[in-house]
Structure formats: C-alpha cells, structure tokens
Amino acid sequence: MLGSQIQTGPKDGARASNVQQQNKARYFLVWRWHFYAGLFVIPFMLMLSLTGIVMLFDDEIDQMRYQELISVEEQMKRLPISTQLEAVKDAYPNASITQIIVTEDPTHANRFNVRLEDGSSIFATVNPYTAEVLGQIDRSDSWYQLANDIHGTLLIGKWGDYLIEVSASLGILLLVSGIYLWLPRDNASKAGFLKIRFNSGSRTLMKDLHANLGGTLSVVFLLFLLSGLAWPAAVSPILASE
C-alpha cells in the first residue's frame, strides 16, 4: 500500500530502551575493569620502564662510573681476542670466563665477565692494544644488577616475580578493555575517534590523547606485554658485541 508507514508499538520502544540500558551497563562494567586494572598495572609499568632504561644504558653508566678502568689510548692495531683472553686467565687462574664484550669504540677497553670461585661475577677490563688487565668491576655493585633485580623480582624473590606476571596479565585486560571503550558507539564517541580536539578544553584534549594514542599503539603494547609474560631465563653468550 502506497504511503504506508511502519509504526512501532510500546513493546518495540521498551525493547529498544532495554537494549540501550544493557549496552550502557556493559560499557560502565568494562570501564570499571579498565579503571581498576590501570590502578594495579600503572605502578608496575612505570617501575619496569625506569629499570629497563637503566639496563638499556648500562654501558654508558659504567663508562661514567668506571672511566679510569674503561678508557684506553687508541693505538694502531689491536691484539687478538685469544691473547687478551689468556691475559685474563693468567690474572684469574681459578675463575671461568663466561662472556666477552668486544667494544667497537677505539678508546674503550674490552670487558671479560669472570665468574670467581665463590660464585660472584666481575668484569675484568682489558686494554685491547696491550692485553693489560686494567682492573675489575664488581657486577653486584652495578646499577644494572640492581635494576635487573628490581625489574625481575622487586627485590622480594618469587613473590615479586608473581606480582609482575599478574600485572602483565592485567595489562592485557587493560588493553582489551581500553580498545572496547575507544571504538565508536554513538555520535559522541565518533566525534573524538582518531581525532585530537585541541579547541574543546583540556579535559577533552587529554581524553582524546589517552584514547587515540592507546588505541593506535595497542598492537605494540600487546606485543610488549606478551613478550614480558614469555620472557625466558637467558644464558649469557661467550662472545658479545657492544
């Protein structure tokens, strides 16, 4: 019939209202998950980031702390690694060499990770031009070792490791719930999707930065968290390059 109109009855309106309420309830439920997961995860992520930075710049920190044991005068030709290794073995006859770090900087000494009889580890620094053992760096006193212990166990043993694993798992919940909240549902959420509204006030600006940066970098964050969960105990290689 021409000109006929589809009319909605009270039941249809009630059903639509019920669906809308369910969607709103689901949204706020996910929001609470996102909020409480963030309260737990953020302190751990900050700690892991700061200690990771210290570990990343381990060489630069050691060069500042032990400049007299690392700096050498550049010469024409370096001696073979085997000659330097024999010099370290002569200096520490009852120890084992577990790692060799060969520097590419011509003004820096090579480092040999030496495991002593008591089980402790030191770095023996060797002049690559003369094979002279310049001294030793106590690894237990290094910033790297302290950062590594905090990064792995929070200095409280296996329970610290458990807490970090829990935070990584909740980080995945934080990420997934954040993506759900970020995806557009209505006109209000579409207005800020993949947009940074600079002229709508500081609250809207921070919201857009938080949502869009988190959403667009979600794959990177997910790989970061999954790699932390699957992190194995690494075995130091015999030969490394700085």
Side-chain angles (χ1 to χ4, degrees), residues 5-213:
Q5 297 181 350
I6 300 176
Q7 297 182 356
T8 58
K11 291 184 178 180
D12 294 331
R15 187 180 299 109
S17 178
N18 187 38
V19 171
Q20 186 177 10
Q21 291 178 359
Q22 290 178 354
N23 291 336
K24 184 179 295 186
R26 185 184 303 113
Y27 176 87
F28 284 108
L29 175 63
V30 175
W31 186 91
R32 285 194 293 271
W33 289 350
H34 187 75
F35 176 76
Y36 289 119
L39 287 181
F40 185 88
V41 169
I42 288 174
F44 287 93
M45 292 297 107
L46 290 175
M47 178 274 298
L48 292 172
S49 299
L50 293 175
T51 53
I53 290 173
V54 173
M55 295 164 66
L56 179 64
F57 292 99
D58 174 50
D59 291 334
E60 289 76 8
I61 294 173
D62 277 353
Q63 288 165 17
M64 289 188 296
R65 295 184 67 195
Y66 307 105
Q67 185 174 6
E68 69 282 359
L69 299 178
I70 293 179
S71 298
V72 297
E73 184 179 351
E74 182 180 1
Q75 299 182 26
M76 291 296 295
K77 185 178 180 180
R78 299 186 183 191
L79 294 175
I81 294 297
S82 58
T83 303
Q84 302 174 47
L85 181 61
E86 289 299 324
V88 176
K89 289 181 177 179
D90 291 340
Y92 303 93
N94 298 320
S96 58
I97 314 300
T98 60
Q99 185 183 26
I100 303 173
I101 301 178
V102 180
T103 180
E104 297 179 356
D105 191 321
T107 62
H108 288 164
N110 291 331
R111 285 175 291 174
F112 292 72
N113 196 348
V114 181
R115 186 176 296 277
L116 303 177
E117 291 181 287
D118 60 0
S120 61
S121 293
I122 62 169
F123 267 150
T125 59
V126 180
N127 188 323
Y129 305 104
T130 64
E132 176 189 359
V133 179
L134 302 176
Q136 66 183 42
I137 299 173
D138 185 0
R139 295 302 291 162
S140 63
D141 185 46
S142 68
W143 288 17
Y144 178 93
Q145 187 61 45
L146 176 61
N148 185 59
D149 291 340
I150 297 174
H151 196 88
T153 64
L154 303 178
L155 301 178
I156 58 175
K158 64 178 182 179
W159 290 106
D161 182 50
Y162 294 158
L163 288 173
I164 293 174
E165 296 293 341
V166 169
S167 71
S169 301
L170 288 178
I172 296 176
L173 173 62
L174 179 71
L175 176 63
V176 173
S177 60
I179 293 174
Y180 175 84
L181 298 173
W182 173 58
L183 294 176
R185 304 168 310 281
D186 49 30
N187 292 332
S189 58
K190 289 178 182 178
F193 186 68
L194 293 178
K195 298 177 183 177
I196 306 297
R197 292 168 289 182
F198 292 97
N199 300 322
S200 299
S202 59
R203 180 184 177 89
T204 301
L205 174 62
M206 295 304 296
K207 180 181 178 181
D208 288 347
L209 288 172
H210 176 87
N212 290 306
L213 286 177

